[in-house]
Amino acid sequence: MAAPQFKNPVVRWIDYRLPVFTALHHEYNEYPMPKNCNYLWSFGAIAMVTLIIMIVSGITLAMSYTPSTTMAFQSVERIMRDVNSGWLIRYIHMNGASMFFIAVFIHIFRGLYFGSYKAPREILWMLGVVILLLMMATAFMGYVLPWGQMSFWGATVITNLFSAFPIIGDHIVTWLWGGFSVDNPTLNRFFALHYLLPFVLLGVVFLHVAAVHVHGSNNPVGIDIKGPQDSLPFHPYFTIKDTFGLSIFLLVFAGFVFFAPNYMGHPDNYIPANPMVTPAHIVPEWYFLPFYAILRAVPDKLGGVLAMFGAIAVLFILPWLDTSKVRSSNYRPIYRQFFWVLVIDCLVLGYAGGMPAEGIWLVVARVAAIYYFAHFLIILPLLGKLERPRPLPSSISEPVLKGGGHYPTAAAAKPMEKA
Amino acid sequence: MRAFKTLILAAALGLGLTGSALAAESAVPPEQEWHHSGIFGTFDKAALQRGFQVYKEVCSTCHAMSLVSYRNLQALGFSEDEVKAIAAQYQVPAAPNDAGEIVERPAIPADHFKSPFPNEQAARAANGGAYPPDLSLMAKAREHGEDYLYALLTGFEEPPEGVTVPDGMYYNKYFPGHLIGMPPILQDDSVTYADNTPATLAQSAHDVSTFLVWAAEPHLETRKQTGVKVILFLLVFAGMMYAVKRKVWADAHP
Amino acid sequence: MSDTIHPAGAGGQGGHEGEGTTRRDFLYLATGAVAAVGVASVAWPFINSMNPAADTLALAQIDIDLTPVQVGQSITVTWRGKPVFVRRRTEEEIASAASVNLAELRDPQPDSARVKQPQWLVLVGVCTHLGCVPLGQKPTDPKGDYGGWFCPCHGSHYDTAGRIRRGPAPLNLLVPEYAFLTDTSIRIG
């Protein structure tokens, strides 16, 4: 791969000493993308932009926020009422968390459908799971900061999960709290960590992007790039396509921020935290509901906690649980059906997680939780052996273009590691 | 495949229906007409001023509104001098004087609304053990928001057969559990409106609910107006990006 | 990225000469301009959020009772987070402030332009050099070579009208906006 020639002498001077421009050129300009990637592939870039929106709005909010139990609620309301455009920045941050999870969930299910976690992209996938975990921790601690009723009781319930561990459990909880209940020390450390973790997240995202650039992106057909006719340079084809996808995503985002800013929130969080009164019905934010349903589905305290963490742990080993060599569901007729059942199963879990844990909803949550694990631990390993995939095309271009023709050639034919 | 998709759809639908049936345990407040609802909704300034009068003369005897300042009242259409006059009606504790005593001074526009009680304990003691909650965020802190507030204020009724209402409690159709410590204090002609609007219960409940929405979300109008501009901008930008995308990709699909 | 030369170039790839290219270039430019406008309009609320908030601006006014201040005495009050000096000047101080030749001053201003009533001098007690609080309020403080205030940080001397006379400060001590409510009380701000 030839180093690009830069016209600008300053750029050339810098690049000769620190080849950042060459790196950018390779990774974001000529980087070969499979030409058949559809709009589902835009959600990685969309999630990245959302992360940046969250960091910028978060830093701005932190400039007006006071992490103290006596001032936190008022300082958030001061942002909403008195700080210039404070209401806008806070609603962006509040709804941005949900939009970030929407983008990432679509990104994850896209990976599940098209087998993006399979060799040689296992580490890429596992870094993605780490990102999800970091997001969950960050979102949870951020939700505590306004110090409303849901903040306080959410923090109490979730930190109490750790008391399930035998012997050391109670010590862990006391350590997390810095006291004997969720209180000022807890709020202070949650603020510190809520500020820190997004930058850790950014670092892992960097590794995630570096990993995807080693073997290139997967694609709807799920077979590797065979030659220049299969790929297009990232710029302008996918920069433009992703920006269009992003603009549609931002429309939805703006719809929430300006016309339904509290739709995904809970009214109880507009009541200041009261350690003496628990709200009648505690629910976490919607993005935690499937995991919350799994937690409550297990009648044993420790068992529930383990099952909830297990629901994410199972994703770590997914690349080895799926025994099929075929990546894309388009060529796996049976897996494709199970994929949609899993999607429904997760929606059912989410719904059950928002309902009171009693009667029919407990049964529904249990069935759905068992199915969730069965999908990964039983169905996927067996299916890879039993299913007969449909024949794969010989190249990416084949199903896209019947009979070939003249293709525009990507600047680099091969992914980066072969250079 | 088709049969399978139908099955999924049916399952999802069934789940949704059961869910909504289960959720309806207490009376759902009927939706009211609000000048401020909808994409282009703006506050009815006259209703806000009337609602403030209801809050000031009726609600504020028990309920605080500590997140709102007198200066905010200018948004209701009051002039700066009117706001100063309203604030000056209240006495608030001043900073310690040179002798270290805290004396009272008239409130200024920068002060927050004066609370009727110095603390929660005093409020409970004066209200038979019940704590009249702060109303600053009430319209956002309850499901169904202003519809619920209106329903609650107009929802006092005789208890049904077999329900005994303890002393100091009242029966309200829309309050969770139906037994509420607040008496039906808002009645026809509880206030005499400065603009001569007949102060029926329905009218004053509607006005004060509007005022409470403003108190909870003072930037509602700016938010919606900015939103319309942002959405229009994004529609134009998305349209242009689509055209650019079509042009750039034109030669990628021979 | 636009300053790289690549074989399979960005917009130009497979492009046709003439009208098509122009129309396409216009579309790219217009879209880029719209995007730039969008980013700039989003940036403003974030920057503006760091300006003083509505509650901060609302508290920018205070009333001061002057009755307890004797002739020759000074009091210090807090206004917008800064000290404000109020000095009840003696006849000699007024006379010395009024008799200065304006041509000698670094920041020429007659004494009459700095007071509303000659007896009362109201100043923001922040040195115009780098923001320290000058000495001279307490009877034991050094008052500098001109009988007013002396800034200990870098040695600026102010006279009895708060004007800079010697040292690095470029301007006179600031006179805040204020008005006499009665003969014995003022409102600052």
Side-chain angles (χ1 to χ4, degrees):
Chain A
M1 196 185 288
Q5 287 293 314
F6 296 101
K7 274 189 256 170
N8 187 324
V10 178
V11 169
R12 205 159 51 222
W13 187 90
I14 295 173
D15 198 72
Y16 183 68
R17 287 149 182 87
L18 182 70
V20 281
F21 295 99
T22 301
L24 277 174
H25 179 74
H26 284 323
E27 302 305 328
Y28 285 104
N29 200 347
E30 63 178 11
Y31 168 67
M33 276 290 282
K35 64 192 300 177
N36 58 336
C37 282
N38 57 37
Y39 278 108
L40 288 173
W41 265 262
S42 293
F43 280 93
I46 288 173
M48 180 75 188
V49 171
T50 315
L51 173 61
I52 290 165
I53 291 175
M54 290 304 281
I55 289 181
V56 170
S57 57
I59 290 174
T60 324
L61 287 175
M63 290 178 189
S64 298
Y65 170 77
T66 311
S68 135
T69 53
T70 51
M71 301 265 302
F73 192 87
Q74 277 86 340
S75 73
V76 171
E77 277 305 315
R78 180 174 171 273
I79 291 170
M80 292 296 289
R81 289 158 191 273
D82 290 335
V83 172
N84 304 313
S85 307
W87 60 270
L88 172 64
I89 298 166
R90 195 220 170 193
Y91 277 153
I92 286 175
H93 200 69
M94 232 171 95
N95 288 282
S98 286
M99 295 307 291
F100 196 13
F101 275 97
I102 289 174
V104 164
F105 283 154
I106 294 175
H107 191 63
I108 291 173
F109 277 99
R110 190 269 286 149
L112 288 175
Y113 186 88
F114 294 106
S116 303
Y117 47 85
K118 293 184 188 183
R121 298 188 181 87
E122 298 96 326
I123 290 186
L124 167 65
W125 172 263
M126 291 160 81
L127 286 168
V129 181
V130 172
I131 289 172
L132 177 64
L133 274 173
L134 283 169
M135 277 174 69
M136 293 171 78
T138 311
F140 161 65
M141 286 188 271
Y143 194 61
V144 175
L145 303 185
W147 208 244
Q149 273 288 68
M150 278 294 162
S151 302
F152 181 86
W153 292 102
T156 301
V157 168
I158 300 300
T159 47
N160 262 317
L161 290 180
F162 293 92
S163 71
F165 294 107
I167 306 167
I168 51 165
D170 285 334
H171 298 286
I172 294 178
V173 175
T174 310
W175 176 76
L176 284 174
W177 288 343
F180 302 102
S181 64
V182 173
D183 208 339
N184 206 47
T186 328
L187 180 60
N188 268 252
R189 63 192 60 184
F190 276 22
F191 179 57
L193 291 173
H194 182 72
Y195 205 112
L196 167 72
L197 287 187
F199 296 97
V200 177
L201 193 56
L202 202 60
V204 183
V205 167
F206 181 80
L207 293 178
H208 189 69
V209 172
V212 76
H213 281 234
V214 176
H215 290 281
S217 296
N218 187 28
N219 64 79
V221 177
I223 58 176
D224 292 332
I225 294 172
K226 298 266 166 61
Q229 74 281 5
D230 287 346
S231 72
L232 289 169
F234 191 77
H235 182 76
Y237 292 96
F238 287 92
T239 46
I240 294 297
K241 191 170 183 171
D242 288 354
T243 311
F244 173 63
L246 175 70
S247 61
I248 300 297
F249 180 82
L250 289 179
L251 267 170
V252 180
F253 196 160
F256 277 115
V257 166
F258 293 106
F259 299 107
N262 295 302
Y263 180 75
M264 291 185 282
H266 197 290
D268 275 8
N269 225 28
Y270 281 110
I271 303 171
N274 182 351
M276 300 298 135
V277 182
T278 308
H281 187 39
I282 303 184
V283 277
E285 293 285 84
W286 68 267
Y287 36 81
F288 290 132
L289 289 177
F291 304 101
Y292 194 57
I294 292 175
L295 168 77
R296 298 191 306 182
V298 183
D300 177 66
K301 189 174 174 181
L302 180 61
V305 174
L306 291 178
M308 189 179 72
F309 287 119
I312 295 172
V314 77
L315 293 176
F316 268 107
I317 52 168
L318 172 64
W320 296 275
L321 291 173
D322 187 348
T323 49
S324 172
K325 291 280 174 263
V326 176
R327 291 193 189 115
S328 171
S329 292
N330 288 346
Y331 301 94
R332 298 184 63 190
I334 304 178
Y335 171 76
R336 182 163 56 183
Q337 313 237 358
F338 279 111
F339 168 83
W340 286 110
V341 176
L342 180 73
V343 171
I344 305 247
D345 186 61
C346 290
L347 292 176
V348 169
L349 276 173
Y351 198 90
M355 303 308 285
E358 58 203 23
I360 180 73
W361 290 111
L362 199 53
V363 180
V364 168
R366 281 186 185 154
V367 172
I370 291 169
Y371 181 80
Y372 178 89
F373 286 103
H375 174 90
F376 291 105
L377 297 174
I378 300 169
I379 296 172
L380 282 190
L382 289 181
L383 207 55
K385 311 276 185 215
L386 301 176
E387 184 183 37
R388 261 190 58 196
R390 285 170 46 206
L392 291 170
S394 58
S395 81
I396 288 174
S397 331
E398 189 189 278
V400 179
L401 325 149
K402 300 280 187 289
H406 178 74
Y407 316 117
T409 45
K414 299 267 158 117
M416 152 181 159
E417 100 288 1
K418 290 166 189 155
Chain B
M1 193 58 205
R2 169 154 302 179
F4 178 73
K5 275 187 179 157
T6 320
L7 189 80
I8 288 176
L9 206 68
L13 213 66
L15 199 71
L17 289 180
T18 347
S20 50
L22 271 178
E25 44 185 32
S26 59
V28 175
E31 280 187 32
Q32 306 294 327
E33 289 277 322
W34 301 103
H35 196 273
H36 56 260
S37 58
I39 292 175
F40 301 102
T42 52
F43 282 122
D44 175 354
K45 288 248 164 67
L48 282 181
Q49 294 204 6
R50 289 195 301 270
F52 170 61
Q53 193 185 345
V54 175
Y55 167 74
K56 188 170 160 244
E57 293 176 13
V58 183
C59 317
S60 74
T61 47
C62 300
H63 290 276
M65 193 178 263
S66 57
L67 295 173
V68 181
S69 301
Y70 295 108
R71 66 188 155 84
N72 298 137
L73 291 172
Q74 274 186 269
L76 269 54
F78 291 111
S79 72
E80 197 180 335
D81 288 329
E82 284 171 324
V83 169
K84 275 183 186 164
I86 292 168
Q89 295 168 8
Y90 298 89
Q91 291 287 317
V92 295
N97 64 15
D98 290 346
E101 296 151 346
I102 293 176
V103 291
E104 301 251 293
R105 62 166 171 83
I108 57 169
D111 283 314
H112 286 221
F113 276 17
K114 192 192 180 184
S115 301
F117 303 104
N119 50 54
E120 184 181 332
Q121 284 75 5
R124 281 189 191 281
N127 286 283
Y131 178 50
D134 190 292
L135 295 182
S136 314
L137 284 163
M138 198 44 83
K140 289 204 285 189
R142 295 290 182 273
E143 298 276 0
H144 307 289
E146 56 269 42
D147 289 331
Y148 167 77
L149 298 177
Y150 177 85
L152 184 87
L153 289 170
T154 55
F156 288 96
E157 54 184 40
E158 286 301 310
E161 291 276 323
V163 177
T164 41
V165 178
D167 235 20
M169 302 287 268
Y170 304 86
Y171 188 87
N172 191 300
K173 192 177 166 191
Y174 295 101
F175 191 70
H178 299 306
L179 295 179
I180 186 170
M182 178 172 83
I185 189 164
L186 193 61
Q187 302 283 353
D188 285 341
D189 299 314
S190 288
V191 293
T192 308
Y193 280 137
D195 62 0
N196 294 324
T197 308
T200 58
L201 170 61
Q203 178 70 43
S204 44
H206 198 274
D207 288 342
V208 80
S209 302
T210 306
F211 173 71
L212 290 174
V213 171
W214 169 81
E217 185 86 0
H219 296 297
L220 179 141
E221 281 183 8
T222 326
R223 166 160 67 74
K224 290 185 174 180
Q225 284 156 9
T226 315
V228 170
K229 286 181 211 146
V230 169
I231 297 278
L232 283 178
F233 174 87
L234 282 172
L235 281 173
V236 169
F237 180 65
M240 292 179 91
M241 276 315 297
Y242 185 67
V244 170
K245 192 260 168 189
R246 286 286 296 262
K247 295 244 178 206
V248 167
W249 279 74
D251 47 17
H253 300 297
Chain C
M1 285 299 103
S2 57
D3 49 12
T4 57
I5 307 159
H6 31 78
Q13 189 190 40
H16 308 284
E17 292 299 312
E19 206 192 314
T21 316
T22 327
R23 206 186 299 143
R24 178 147 66 178
D25 286 350
F26 174 73
L27 177 65
Y28 294 162
L29 279 175
T31 311
V34 169
V37 168
V39 169
S41 349
V42 169
W44 174 244
F46 286 88
I47 296 165
N48 190 33
S49 76
M50 291 168 71
N51 273 320
D55 60 332
T56 311
L57 294 174
L59 268 181
Q61 232 181 28
I62 55 160
D63 296 349
I64 301 163
D65 180 18
L66 300 176
T67 4
V69 188
Q70 302 298 312
V71 175
Q73 267 189 340
S74 290
I75 57 164
T76 307
V77 292
T78 314
W79 175 66
R80 292 186 183 174
K82 288 180 291 208
V84 166
F85 298 161
V86 181
R87 180 180 284 192
R88 189 170 182 177
R89 298 190 293 183
T90 60
E91 290 302 325
E92 300 83 69
E93 284 173 333
I94 298 170
S96 85
S99 64
V100 173
N101 178 7
L102 292 190
E104 291 173 16
L105 296 177
R106 183 175 303 162
D107 181 10
Q109 238 184 346
D111 184 57
S112 54
R114 295 179 57 77
V115 291
K116 289 198 178 2
Q117 293 184 9
Q119 204 180 16
W120 296 103
L121 179 64
V122 183
L123 301 166
V124 176
V126 174
C127 180
T128 56
H129 180 220
L130 290 171
C132 297
V133 177
L135 298 171
Q137 287 293 91
K138 279 187 279 182
T140 50
D141 277 350
K143 289 188 164 54
D145 295 353
Y146 298 86
W149 289 268
F150 169 70
C151 183
C153 291
H154 307 95
S156 291
H157 298 255
Y158 296 92
D159 68 13
T160 52
R163 289 171 297 201
I164 179 66
R165 300 301 285 274
R166 193 194 305 156
L171 297 172
N172 302 334
L173 289 178
L174 186 78
V175 178
E177 245 185 68
Y178 70 97
F180 277 88
L181 298 175
T182 66
D183 274 353
T184 54
S185 75
I186 54 171
R187 167 170 294 174
I188 302 182

